[in-house]
Amino acid sequence: MANLLLMAGVFLASFIVGYLLISKVPSLLHTPLMSMTNAISAVTILGALILFSVETSVIEKVLGALAIITATFNVVGGFAITDRMLRLFKEKRPTVNNP
Amino acid sequence: MTLIIDFSVILILIAGIWQFREPRRAKSGNLTAAFALTCAFILVLYRNGIMDAGVVVISLLGGAIAGYAVARAVSMIQIPAMVAFQHGAGGVAAFLVSLVELTRSTHALEPVSQVSGVLGLTIGALTFSASMVASAKLANRIRQTPLILPGHNLLLWWNIGGLFFVGVLSFYFTSELVLVLYLTQILMSVLFGILFSIRIGGADMPVLISFLNATAGLAASFCGMVIGNQLLIAFGATVAASGSILTHVMCKAMNRNLFRVFFPEQKKPPNTLQKEESSTALSSQCVVAETGVTDGEQGLEKAVAVILKAETVIIVPGYGMALAKAQMEVADLAQRMITMGKDVKYAIHPVAGRMPGHMNVLLAEAGVDYDMLVEMDAINPDFQHTDLVLVVGACDVVNPAAIDVEGTPISGMPILMAHQAKHVVCCNFDEKPGYSGVENPLYDKRNTIMLPGDAKKTVHQLLANLKDSKTQEVVVEKPASDNSAEAVNALASAKNVVIIPGYGMALAKAQFDVVELASLLEKRGARVKYAIHPVAGRMPGHMNVLLAEAEVDYDNLLEMDEVNPRFADTNVAMVFGACDVVNPAAIQSEGTPISGMPILMAHEAQKVIICNFDKNPGYSGVENPLYDSEKAIMMLGDAKVSAKALISSLRSMGG
């Protein structure tokens, strides 16, 4: 029961803190934001790793490996693409006509 | 102790997100978040250890290399499709982990873990399939427009019921049977994901993709609850929060509620099955072979003249078009008229053809965009403002006797109001009444031109004659070049210019030309800003990414609330491939699908140059009165071409 409460608490707290922080993100950055959180959602890779912390059957190995591959694809691809995107967002350069 | 370490890792993640509040620090924010994930990864490795190091390392490497390679290779235009695809990959991982955790424990899982496991399974699997559909739609692998199956809502509710039932059932079984239940649950979730995403299309894609972002996070969180891992729960919850916010922002920006996006109200054809049979028979009777109507040489000339003059055209296809296999010719003719600058739509009667949605299928096969196929109730009010209706093999569905005459077999049947248009050109096989035996008074009207004969041949002749009449065409195209001159004049003297990009700019890949035009204007001393509507494009912030790719400073990308007060002082607002987001009907008319949706106030500028492909309404289907305003300078056609034309004209002016 205590365990349930802790987990629910962690979920709620993270959700609320995330909500407060992310509602401050300007719409300019919404695509990179989604791309980054998309990479973060591949945190299931932790779950996939934990699957391998005990003895596994063949079928579990296959499913686990598949989970690791897809999650790593998501996490690496997600962060890399976000980085590429953010590099495109240029800071103000000295131009003749600025307001 | 473990708790404290866990919390510090979560804090690092939060610090990463914190930095996303400023564009300048977003890049390091992204790296911080990646670092947080790496910490979590190492922590789990350290705490739990690994039994099959070989398998794990190979899988890790495989996934990482594939992920990195793809991330390097995609172009910015493919980003929405790519992000959707990655959501799907996250979904797969979530449901696989949940499945293994649920099935492997010899000892019974705690009820909490079991519930979370089933939820992780369900949400992960539906995120996977829905993301694949979304990704395919965004990559144009499948049609972007909504696909609505017969009884779609009912199917969805049954599916939800089934998911609930099997999910609950699985708590009461053990051993082999429960595995079957889990697999059923996964299959049903996959089906559910397909069902609910397949009918979302076009401008609603940003809502879908944001929603899937949230579900991917939720799936990860539930996954964490099965395992009892705080890090997984916290990271997943943050993503869920982010996705929820984006979903909310997107819905608000389009004045839609989430429920309506997923369960649209519009009823498509397949609802009136009994009526269908008789009425389809009606329309088929229209074209029953019967020869001997007067030769249409004169009629053809008249018809071509009418087509050349018409600005708005509605095509009414019927089963006769199917019989004559004329859909390709009809689509060609429509395309021809569009390139001539005409506004062309198709009016689809619910019972036209031999099966529900028959006309839609045929025209789709001929490459007609779904957006151009308009249902009866939506298009009927338009007929009275339409210059020309082209009837191709339809009879009773356009018979005004159904509403004008009492006591006929078709009295009371809803029809397409073709008779209200200024001109009607009728490409039917003959003038015989249809199955009902009711003469069609439409045929005898003064403004109706009958072109009897095989529809395929007739339409082909129309098309050929249109191509021949080059002289006429110059007349049609001349105003276009005048417009370009007018646009250049407006731009040459403009001090304040606001550029409004939309999905059309993305489609035409015109961002580089738009930016070139902007810098040219800046050199001439104008101040140029970009106005970014929150839902312009196919995902949140889509326009920002495209313009950033074209090296626009982000200081020049203004959000809606910031830019709207500026329009009053703006000399020229330039619209590139945007429609609904600058449609003043949203604030001026009540009761339209976009009423109440916040828009960019382009109509307040002194002049508005509109570089859209055509004058058709946007995704909402609401006509844009801006196009007809005195301020508007229309430059129809490919946005890239229009932008290039403006650049070269401005250059030739010198300065």
Side-chain angles (χ1 to χ4, degrees), chain A residues 6 11 21 27-29 31 37-38 51-52 56 60-61 74-75 77 79 84 88 90-93 97, chain B residues 18 20 24 30 37 51-52 71-72 74 86-87 90 104 213 221 230 522 540-541 544 548 551 553-554:
Chain A
L6 178 66
F11 181 85
L21 279 180
S27 67
L28 171 81
L29 292 175
T31 295
T37 52
N38 173 34
L51 291 184
F52 282 96
T56 44
E60 284 167 2
K61 272 197 188 72
N74 191 355
V75 76
F79 282 123
R84 255 190 74 196
L88 295 173
K90 295 272 174 2
E91 264 196 79
K92 190 190 293 184
R93 284 157 298 184
N97 298 292
Chain B
W18 176 269
F20 250 72
R24 203 178 316 134
N30 182 48
L37 212 60
M51 299 292 280
D52 293 288
R72 284 297 302 269
V74 294
Q86 287 174 338
H87 283 151
R104 85 142 137 224
N213 191 18
S221 242
Q230 320 295 349
E522 277 178 342
N544 297 308
E551 309 216 317
D553 303 339
Y554 56 71

Side-chain angles (χ1 to χ4, degrees), chain B residues 28-307:
Chain B
S28 71
N30 182 48
L31 296 178
T32 313
F35 177 68
L37 212 60
T38 316
C39 289
F41 184 86
I42 293 169
L43 213 56
V44 166
L45 273 187
Y46 173 74
R47 282 185 195 156
N48 298 282
I50 290 293
M51 299 292 280
D52 293 288
V55 179
V56 172
V57 169
I58 290 173
S59 312
L60 280 174
L61 277 178
I65 292 170
Y68 189 71
V70 171
R72 284 297 302 269
V74 294
S75 71
M76 286 300 134
I77 197 94
Q78 297 166 312
I79 291 266
M82 182 63 202
V83 172
F85 186 79
Q86 287 174 338
H87 283 151
V92 172
F95 86 70
L96 287 179
V97 172
S98 304
L99 178 66
V100 175
E101 279 296 333
L102 279 173
T103 51
R104 85 142 137 224
S105 31
T106 41
H107 61 96
L109 281 169
E110 276 183 64
V112 190
S113 312
Q114 215 178 348
V115 174
S116 316
V118 172
L119 285 172
L121 204 69
T122 311
I123 299 174
L126 74 87
T127 304
F128 159 66
S129 59
S131 300
M132 288 306 134
V133 172
S135 178
K137 281 190 173 206
L138 288 164
N140 268 329
R141 296 249 161 75
I142 58 176
R143 207 168 284 285
Q144 284 214 13
T145 43
L147 172 69
I148 300 179
L149 302 172
H152 209 128
N153 278 344
L154 206 65
L155 279 177
L156 272 177
W157 287 117
W158 272 105
N159 204 329
I160 292 173
L163 284 173
F164 192 74
F165 180 71
V166 175
V168 170
L169 208 62
S170 68
F171 301 139
Y172 296 98
F173 286 89
T174 44
S175 74
E176 266 93 72
L177 191 60
V178 79
L179 184 65
V180 177
L181 287 177
Y182 288 148
L183 291 178
T184 317
Q185 185 78 354
I186 292 178
L187 281 180
M188 283 199 305
S189 308
V190 167
L191 182 68
F192 182 75
I194 295 173
L195 277 179
F196 92 80
S197 59
I198 196 84
R199 69 166 172 189
I200 298 174
D204 281 334
M205 288 312 283
V207 179
L208 178 63
I209 199 172
S210 310
F211 182 76
L212 292 173
N213 191 18
T215 57
L218 213 53
S221 242
F222 283 122
C223 212
M225 289 190 199
V226 191
I227 306 168
N229 185 303
Q230 320 295 349
L231 289 171
L232 246 169
I233 299 174
F235 281 43
T238 319
V239 177
S242 168
S244 312
I245 291 174
L246 290 177
T247 310
H248 175 71
V249 171
M250 291 302 110
C251 282
K252 206 175 65 182
M254 294 200 299
N255 194 34
R256 309 260 287 163
N257 79 45
L258 188 60
F259 189 76
R260 277 284 157 256
V261 173
F262 291 148
F263 295 90
E265 268 170 309
Q266 74 222 39
K267 295 262 178 359
K268 293 261 163 166
N271 280 320
T272 46
L273 268 174
Q274 301 147 338
K275 230 168 141 192
E276 200 116 6
E277 298 228 348
S278 54
S279 304
T280 30
L282 301 189
S283 34
S284 68
Q285 282 292 322
C286 281
V287 287
V288 162
E290 184 91 13
T291 46
V293 189
T294 40
D295 174 55
E297 197 56 34
Q298 228 188 336
L300 198 67
E301 272 170 36
K302 273 201 305 195
V304 170
V306 169
I307 292 176

Side-chain angles (χ1 to χ4, degrees), chain B residues 16 148 181 203 346 352 384 582 589 613:
Chain B
I148 300 179
L181 287 177
Y346 295 83
Q384 47 187 317
V582 290
S589 332
F613 188 75

Side-chain angles (χ1 to χ4, degrees), chain B residues 530-546:
Chain B
Y530 296 82
I532 311 292
H533 193 277
V535 294
R538 283 295 181 266
M539 64 186 295
H542 195 174
M543 292 303 122
N544 297 308
V545 176
L546 291 177

